[in-house]
Amino acid sequence: MSILTLSGSPSVQSRSAHLLAHLRGELEAAGERTSHIDLRALPAGPLLAARADDPAIAAAARAIAEAQVVVLATPVYKAAYSGLLKAFLDLLPQTGLRDKVVLPIATGGSLAHALAIDYALRPVLSALGSRHILPGIFAVDQQIEIDGSGPARFDAALALRLEEGVLRVREALARSRIDVPLEFVPVPLAQRAAHAAHAAVAQRCPA
Ligand SMILES: Cc1cc2nc3c(=O)[nH]c(=O)nc-3n(C[C@H](O)[C@H](O)[C@H](O)COP(=O)(O)O)c2cc1C
């Protein structure tokens, strides 16, 4: 049961990456297992040449395949999401997010593209087969205070949305933990009720 956070910002001091770091901390404090990939650390040449067999890119794709929940964050670039994120997503198999819960996060310079998650990113995640895309979290730069050292500070509205995001991820994980495995065929409720009725009759009227 693992959670992977994926940062799609090319910036060293990335606001969207700070949101991811915060979520990771909260999820770990709640006892969840997390890991992280910074896409800006992948080798640029192979990434742009679509070399999915590059060892670092293949390892990142494997980490996605093994994760149950993917929390990804991107800056809004030109009304959509970062080219870095797109270059990486393009290298995943067509169903690379199948059966995964995905929480998309984006930060932008203004509210002008607050819906970028929904009109730009969500269709891509869906095309990659995600069965459960959680409501996205969008923040504008003014809501995130960074000073270059230490964790970022968030305004109250954003802090609340992040808290909701953590709860949604944990809820999705909890639900998947009690999911009935595919190979287990449960006795339908009606059939169980019939068995119980039959047993009760048999007890009252022994043959
Ligand atoms: C190349 C570039 C394009 C951008 N385009 C937009 C945009 O279209 N809409 C917007 O709201 N912000 C835009 N921004 C601002 C960033 O989305 C914003 O500062 C974001 O928080 C940066 O995230 P990061 O620090 O994680 O990289 C752009 C920034 C850059 C560098």
Side-chain angles (χ1 to χ4, degrees):
M1 305 282 178
S2 65
I3 301 165
L4 178 76
T5 57
L6 194 69
S7 170
S9 172
S11 301
V12 183
Q13 264 303 330
S14 158
R15 286 187 154 80
S16 54
H18 272 291
L19 298 193
L20 278 187
H22 175 78
L23 284 179
R24 215 165 40 248
E26 294 294 304
L27 287 163
E28 278 174 9
E32 304 292 355
R33 219 157 35 87
T34 73
S35 54
H36 178 66
I37 293 177
D38 209 348
L39 293 181
R40 68 184 296 281
L42 292 181
L47 193 61
L48 291 178
R51 293 257 320 277
D53 60 343
D54 173 87
I57 293 172
R62 248 190 335 271
I64 298 252
E66 285 162 10
Q68 201 168 9
V69 177
V70 178
V71 182
L72 58 85
T74 175
V76 174
Y77 275 2
K78 303 286 186 278
Y81 53 97
S82 75
L84 175 59
L85 178 60
K86 184 71 165 92
F88 177 71
L89 293 179
D90 285 349
L91 296 184
L92 295 181
Q94 189 55 48
T95 54
L97 294 176
R98 189 173 63 192
D99 294 337
K100 296 185 194 307
V101 174
V102 180
L103 171 58
I105 296 173
T107 60
S110 76
L111 278 175
H113 303 122
L115 295 179
I117 290 178
D118 290 323
Y119 65 69
L121 189 50
R122 192 173 284 271
V124 181
L125 303 175
S126 184
L128 284 164
S130 173
R131 75 175 166 140
H132 192 173
I133 305 169
L134 296 170
I137 299 175
F138 176 84
V140 290
D141 288 350
Q142 294 90 322
Q143 293 181 282
I144 309 162
E145 194 187 321
I146 48 176
D147 61 10
S149 64
R153 283 181 296 280
F154 312 118
D155 79 0
L158 175 57
L160 192 64
R161 281 208 301 281
L162 291 171
E163 208 176 300
E164 280 168 7
V166 169
L167 287 177
R168 287 203 174 102
V169 167
R170 297 194 63 213
E171 193 181 63
L173 277 171
R175 222 176 299 126
S176 69
R177 281 177 184 131
I178 56 165
D179 261 357
V180 179
L182 283 178
E183 64 273 16
F184 176 72
V185 182
V187 179
L189 269 182
Q191 198 177 323
R192 261 191 276 166
H195 280 174
H198 184 76
V201 170
Q203 205 177 17
R204 265 186 274 131
C205 324

